[in-house]
Amino acid sequence: MGMWLFLFTELILFGGLFIVYAVYRYTHPDAFHLAAAELNTFVGTVNTLILLTSSLTVAMSITAVQEGKKGFALALLGMTIMMGLAFLVNKYFEWGHKFEVGIYPGAPELLAQPQGVILYFGLYFVMTGLHALHVIIGLAVLLYVFEAVRRGSINAGSYVRLESGALYWHLVDIIWIFLFPLFYLLH
Amino acid sequence: MSHTDQSAHAQHVVSYSRYVVIWFGLVALTALTVALAGIELGRWVIITALVIASIKSLLVLNIFMHLRFEDRVFRLFTVVAFVTFLIFIVMTFFDYAFH
């Protein structure tokens, strides 16, 4: 219950940014399409599939814990953590490439572009950056949960912490479900 | 489910196969939204993208996040939260339309 209330506050946090996005997209439609062409749809799609699959494994780990299958639960949680890391590695290379071609906040090449393009990339870095921060926090939570399952303090009789951690991870997935089409699929 | 205490909902076990079926649905919807992005749909682009993203979110919320198995009052809370957010968006655009 408390976890859900926290998730509602996250909705307000990202929701506010989505409204900013909607308004700027409405006022600069052409620049947004132009700027979106810079993003690599393939990398975005791969990252979407990674996060969806990591949501699957963390959801399945709850069933495994409920059934008392500790080893299977740990394997599923381990896979979830590996996929979260893979997502961040992809993001690292994606952002790294942007920086190389002169697309980062305050870059001279970027500031020479139309205002709509500057706004698009400003939102891109803030929203995907904030999302990546949530992935990092989610990974820390999952590592803690993994350790608690391993020690046996999370077990078939008591697994609220696992459920809460999983809820947070699914929220990170849902935010990405919206970020992906809004930034990558604007052709 | 409703006649017992809080711990009752926690006992709800979702089968692995059900999760996997939902995952297949999510992957299929991702493929659909990527495929549609390649087609020139004009102003429908954003609408189809948001509808697909909303369906995906509902699948994650209902099954992966077990919302479907929570009690009714609780589900109502989440609906209110999302509707409030939708109203914010609609009001923002009404403001723009009539400026």
Side-chain angles (χ1 to χ4, degrees):
Chain A
M1 180 72 184
M3 193 62 195
W4 278 95
L5 286 177
F6 172 66
L7 298 188
F8 291 160
T9 70
E10 294 277 18
L11 174 76
I12 303 300
L13 171 66
F14 276 93
L17 288 168
F18 277 114
I19 293 172
V20 174
Y21 171 94
V23 168
Y24 281 146
R25 183 177 162 149
Y26 181 72
T27 54
H28 303 84
D30 298 330
F32 264 51
H33 279 76
L34 192 72
E38 291 283 334
L39 293 196
N40 188 329
T41 307
F42 178 73
V43 177
T45 308
V46 168
N47 264 351
T48 304
L49 294 176
I50 287 174
L51 275 196
L52 288 177
T53 311
S54 71
S55 256
L56 169 72
T57 51
V58 81
M60 286 170 73
S61 77
I62 295 178
T63 303
V65 164
Q66 284 168 329
E67 292 178 345
K69 291 177 184 156
K70 185 174 164 182
F72 190 40
L74 286 175
L76 288 165
L77 282 171
M79 282 163 70
T80 310
I81 292 166
M82 294 310 289
M83 282 185 272
L85 288 173
F87 177 91
L88 287 177
V89 168
N90 277 342
K91 266 259 108 31
Y92 171 77
F93 283 112
E94 202 184 8
W95 275 36
H97 176 70
K98 291 275 170 303
F99 279 49
E100 266 170 35
V101 296
I103 298 175
Y104 54 88
E109 292 94 328
L110 181 59
L111 291 178
Q113 301 268 339
Q115 201 198 2
V117 174
I118 301 171
L119 288 171
Y120 172 91
F121 280 109
L123 282 169
Y124 166 79
F125 281 113
V126 168
M127 292 177 83
T128 62
L130 191 61
H131 177 264
L133 183 66
H134 279 72
V135 173
I136 293 167
I137 296 166
L139 281 173
V141 172
L142 287 177
L143 273 173
Y144 164 77
V145 167
F146 181 93
E147 181 57 20
V149 172
R150 200 185 61 77
R151 279 199 325 266
S153 70
I154 290 179
N155 53 59
S158 158
Y159 49 85
V160 176
R161 279 173 294 163
L162 170 62
E163 283 187 310
S164 298
L167 283 178
Y168 187 76
W169 192 255
H170 292 309
L171 174 89
V172 169
D173 189 20
I174 288 179
I175 293 165
W176 184 259
I177 284 174
F178 284 95
L179 287 179
F180 171 59
L182 291 179
F183 281 101
Y184 291 81
L185 302 178
L186 257 184
H187 302 304
Chain B
M1 195 162 55
S2 56
H3 61 277
T4 42
D5 64 329
Q6 263 269 289
S7 64
H9 97 94
Q11 296 301 324
H12 195 99
V13 180
V14 181
S15 70
Y16 300 115
S17 59
R18 186 166 192 184
Y19 283 136
V20 172
V21 167
I22 295 300
W23 177 79
F24 269 113
L26 289 168
V27 170
L29 286 167
T30 304
L32 179 67
T33 193
V34 171
L36 284 174
I39 305 168
E40 198 53 64
L41 291 169
R43 60 200 292 246
W44 289 94
V45 168
I46 183 70
I47 296 168
T48 52
L50 286 178
V51 166
I52 293 172
S54 302
I55 297 170
K56 287 167 78 177
S57 304
L58 282 176
L59 287 175
V60 173
L61 278 165
N62 273 313
I63 309 299
F64 283 0
M65 297 170 86
H66 296 186
L67 198 56
R68 169 179 279 204
F69 317 114
E70 301 280 357
D71 65 56
R72 194 172 296 176
V73 176
F74 192 84
R75 287 161 65 182
L76 189 68
F77 273 136
T78 55
V79 172
V80 168
F82 278 96
V83 169
T84 306
F85 175 53
L86 271 181
I87 291 170
F88 283 158
I89 290 188
V90 170
M91 275 172 38
T92 305
F93 277 86
F94 265 114
D95 187 43
Y96 260 83
F98 297 112
H99 246 338

